[in-house]
Amino acid sequence: MESTVTIALARRLLARLRAADPVLGRVALGRADFARAFAGAPFRGPSDAALVRARVAAAGSSFARGMSALRGDRRRALWAVYAFCRAVDDIADGAMPEAEKRRFLQDWRGKLARPDCALSRELARARDRYALPVEECEAMIAGMETDAAPALRIADGAALDLYCRRVAGSVGAMAVRIFGAPEAADFGLALGRTLQLVNILRDMDEDAARDRVYVPRDLLAAHGVAEGPPAAMLAAPGLAAAARVLAAQAEQGFARAEAELAAFDNPALLPARIMMWAYRRIFDRLVARGFGPPRARPRLTAGEKARMAAYALRLAPVAAR
């Protein structure tokens, strides 16, 4: 019980530190925090599954709405995969020095072999139950090691394919297995690449602020965009034409995914359709907006989010089978 109280207070303090700035003022716990920790002590704290569930809920991602189409153990497994991806992505996007990022990512390689925390234990459980290849988790970490660099440029189409395979294809390959359609692994890989292209087109300005440019160098050069500071590259007249090439690839990817879904005729893949629907909405707005400045970030409307949730609830009994 003493350990339960200590850990509960530590988690609460960590949450406060994430939300506040300890440089501006002391961040401390209050009487209510201690009372809550002592009241929960007999119950030995939240389970691993509850801690991962809370992490997913705090992320507020549209991906979480797609996960709500699942029920029971399948949802729990997909939560673990999502939370793992979010954890390593947060490391790569953090403000730590590159060496520290790489050390933390290497620590995660160790956690895959020897789970030592709530998230790594939940991920190990999902891997065991749904035969998720550990290589896919390692691929995600490798992709985040690419993002950990202080500045990032993608050399060519082959390098972009490899990056997409690691950071998005890995998720697709694991997700279809959790859905109950392991035969659709190639579909998951291809869909992951398509959705990652949408992410790249949507986040160009945000990535540029981190000195990252994911539009390949050879494609940019072909449209007259010279290497330089990211802001200058994104302001170049040829950037929009280069982005439209990636948009055309994404369009082809959506068409292929729709055809393959029809060919599989597998109800287990219906959760993937929810994500495709949401990403297609964002993609259509990107194309309609264009890729020259200014680039307002397209978002799903409240009505579309509600529609996703309703669609997920309607599919949940099917997807839980």
Side-chain angles (χ1 to χ4, degrees), residues 8-314:
L9 291 173
R11 290 189 182 281
R12 183 60 182 162
L13 181 56
L14 178 60
R16 290 275 179 86
L17 288 167
R18 282 174 169 159
D21 186 343
V23 176
L24 295 178
R26 185 170 185 270
V27 178
L29 299 176
R31 292 181 179 179
D33 298 306
F34 282 88
R36 188 179 299 110
F38 279 107
F43 305 102
R44 303 301 169 94
S47 65
D48 287 350
L51 290 170
V52 172
R53 183 170 64 246
R55 186 184 184 98
V56 172
S61 168
S62 59
F63 187 79
R65 297 183 181 88
M67 287 187 282
S68 64
L70 298 175
R71 286 290 183 270
D73 200 70
R74 293 188 188 278
R75 182 194 282 188
R76 179 178 174 180
L78 199 58
W79 271 338
V81 169
Y82 172 80
F84 158 69
C85 295
R86 186 64 183 249
V88 293
D89 184 65
D90 286 346
I91 293 171
D93 286 349
M96 295 176 285
E98 181 183 2
E100 287 292 285
K101 293 181 182 182
R102 295 191 181 280
R103 182 172 67 82
F104 279 117
L105 290 170
Q106 185 60 34
D107 286 348
W108 257 108
R109 293 183 185 276
K111 289 173 182 287
L112 295 179
R114 296 174 298 281
D116 62 355
C117 64
L119 177 50
S120 57
R121 287 191 295 267
E122 282 292 287
L123 182 62
R125 180 182 182 278
R127 284 167 44 204
D128 289 341
R129 294 216 169 197
Y130 297 101
L132 307 182
V134 68
E135 292 81 7
E136 299 299 348
C137 298
E138 291 170 343
M140 171 60 71
I141 294 173
M144 293 303 104
E145 286 171 337
T146 299
D147 281 340
L152 176 63
R153 303 291 186 272
I154 300 293
D156 51 28
L160 179 62
D161 287 344
L162 177 60
Y163 176 77
C164 291
R165 169 61 182 86
R166 288 171 167 172
V167 303
S170 60
V171 180
M174 289 190 281
V176 295
R177 288 175 168 85
I178 294 171
F179 294 162
E183 72 280 4
D186 287 343
F187 163 81
L189 289 171
L191 180 60
R193 182 182 188 277
T194 298
L195 301 189
Q196 187 61 29
L197 289 177
V198 177
N199 286 339
I200 288 171
L201 293 169
R202 181 195 62 193
D203 299 338
M204 287 193 296
D205 291 285
E206 180 181 326
D207 290 332
R210 295 191 176 106
D211 207 356
R212 297 175 183 171
V213 179
Y214 291 97
V215 182
R217 277 175 168 167
D218 63 347
L219 182 58
L220 291 169
H223 290 87
V225 180
E227 177 68 27
M233 295 172 71
L234 265 62
L239 184 279
R244 285 195 293 271
V245 174
L246 297 186
Q249 294 178 17
E251 181 68 54
Q252 293 169 2
F254 278 118
R256 173 184 171 182
E258 289 286 354
E260 290 185 349
L261 274 177
F264 279 119
D265 192 27
N266 190 339
L269 291 173
L270 289 175
R273 184 172 289 280
I274 296 176
M275 292 307 301
M276 283 176 56
W277 181 87
Y279 267 83
R280 182 77 214 205
R281 283 285 194 278
I282 293 172
F283 176 70
D284 287 344
R285 286 174 188 149
L286 284 169
V287 173
R289 180 206 67 187
F291 299 103
R295 287 175 287 265
R297 182 185 175 96
R299 301 179 185 277
L300 294 175
T301 66
E304 287 168 336
K305 292 176 182 178
R307 183 175 175 182
M308 281 183 70
Y311 193 31
L313 288 174
R314 184 156 52 91

